[in-house]
Amino acid sequence: MKVTEASFVKSFCKLADDGFRLGFHERNGGNLSYRIREEEIAEIRDQLSFDRPFTAIGTEVPTLADTYFMVTGTGQYFQNVLEKPAETCGIIQIDGTGTQYRTVWGFSTGGRPTSELPSHLMNHAVKMAATGGKHRVIYHCHPANIIAMTFVLPMDDAVFTKELWESMTECPVVFPQGVGVIPWMVPGGKDIAVATSEKMKKYDVAVWAHHGIFCSGDTFDATFGLAHTVEKSAEIYVKVRSMTDKKTQTITRDDFIELAKAFGFTLSQEIMAAMKE
Ligand code: 2HA
Ligand code: ZN
């Protein structure tokens, strides 16, 4: 099968295009990665080339040894992914030690994986362990309203979670564990990768102050839907704050408890306890 005909490749490119259309990816902003299933690799194996040298990842991900990822390329624009997948994206193979990777498909004009590769791979390792292998997609984007919130609210997981949950009823249903917040850091290196993966042990969303968000999920739809939901809620928060400093009414802590009962999910006890204070 041609790589571009594989269904995971089509879903990957569609997510990139959906994100671009929503304004989450100015210029070369954002990056996406997918941990490819063995059977999906088997279907395209004859299209892959294994002659390129291995390169250091910049961090260690031993549990991801010998796995394959589809990733967006550094400097590439999400705007172009749907039209030029083999140029803007690539498939990489992790070596047997989890310290190096090589490109086996794509980056056809000589590119390489996203500058956030260490963050993506460390977070794949964390979420793979935390979900028993269910999570396969890591998505980073730059939505305007959630970034705006990081100039106004304290860098506190419970405060961000409370405001996002309150801004739209669906939010506690979509991210009952809440969101983690990371103060401003230099992007692209191991430090931000480590800080993010600490948050992702608990959450499926990490907010990078003055930069964007990092989301994890089992499918492309669920992961994109999560980023979209967080940003929609942030937009409502920004609108409310633009109108007034004080809400006249809101969704209360007791309402969240009722909602969780009605929909049969468990809210983060840590966040609920922090909301009491
Ligand atoms: O430009 O978004 O965080 C790519 C990025 C880096
Ligand atoms: Zn970014």
Side-chain angles (χ1 to χ4, degrees):
M1 185 193 288
K2 272 183 69 179
V3 171
T4 48
E5 284 165 9
S7 82
F8 77 86
V9 176
K10 288 184 186 165
S11 300
F12 186 102
C13 297
K14 182 175 182 298
L15 186 158
D17 199 58
D18 288 343
F20 169 70
R21 284 159 193 265
L22 285 180
F24 294 177
H25 299 281
E26 76 295 336
R27 207 173 175 276
N28 61 322
N31 24 76
L32 173 64
S33 63
Y34 171 68
R35 185 166 55 83
I36 306 172
R37 291 169 198 277
E38 273 176 39
E39 58 271 28
E40 290 169 328
I41 283 293
E43 280 187 342
I44 56 166
R45 188 174 288 278
D46 62 347
Q47 306 287 310
L48 309 180
S49 53
F50 295 89
D51 48 3
R52 271 169 271 203
F54 279 101
T55 313
I57 295 167
T59 190
E60 308 81 43
V61 282
T63 55
L64 301 180
D66 300 316
T67 57
Y68 293 82
F69 290 85
M70 182 160 181
V71 294
T72 49
T74 184
Q76 298 292 345
Y77 292 26
F78 269 51
Q79 183 176 4
N80 299 329
V81 166
L82 201 55
E83 201 184 326
K84 298 176 185 169
E87 199 174 305
T88 55
C89 305
I91 294 176
I92 60 168
Q93 176 193 26
I94 309 299
D95 75 349
T97 66
T99 60
Q100 304 190 93
Y101 76 91
R102 67 178 167 190
T103 298
V104 295
W105 178 87
F107 301 132
S108 60
T109 52
R112 59 196 159 76
T114 163
S115 58
E116 302 290 1
L117 190 66
S119 281
H120 277 257
L121 293 180
M122 283 190 79
N123 282 289
H124 274 292
V126 163
K127 295 312 283 191
M128 188 174 83
T131 65
K134 263 179 71 191
H135 278 204
R136 293 185 171 272
V137 183
I138 300 276
Y139 175 46
H140 166 57
C141 55
H142 299 170
N145 293 287
I146 190 76
I147 296 172
M149 283 176 75
T150 66
F151 292 90
V152 175
L153 292 180
M155 296 284 101
D156 183 286
D157 299 354
V159 173
F160 264 77
T161 300
K162 174 179 179 288
E163 293 300 346
L164 290 169
W165 281 358
E166 270 187 48
S167 295
M168 198 169 64
T169 298
E170 281 291 298
C171 287
V173 186
V174 176
F175 48 97
Q177 291 313 303
V179 303
V181 187
I182 292 169
W184 187 87
M185 290 180 80
V186 175
K190 186 172 175 178
D191 291 349
I192 196 167
V194 170
T196 308
S197 57
E198 276 306 309
K199 293 289 182 189
M200 295 299 261
K201 286 177 187 164
K202 278 202 276 191
Y203 308 113
D204 292 340
V205 186
V207 179
W208 285 359
H210 324 323
H211 183 154
I213 51 172
F214 223 81
C215 292
S216 171
D218 49 357
T219 64
F220 289 101
D221 279 351
T223 313
F224 186 76
L226 177 57
H228 195 185
T229 305
V230 168
E231 172 57 7
K232 176 89 180 275
S233 185
E235 182 180 349
I236 294 164
Y237 178 80
V238 169
K239 285 184 198 294
V240 172
R241 281 289 295 249
S242 309
M243 288 187 283
T244 176
D245 279 342
K246 199 173 173 301
K247 296 172 191 170
T248 309
Q249 56 273 322
T250 189
I251 309 170
T252 65
R253 194 177 178 282
D254 286 345
D255 292 339
F256 291 141
I257 293 168
E258 219 179 300
L259 188 67
K261 252 190 237 148
F263 282 75
F265 62 88
T266 309
L267 289 162
S268 160
Q269 289 312 299
E270 227 176 298
I271 306 264
M272 290 300 277
M275 278 175 65
K276 244 188 212 167
E277 289 157 14

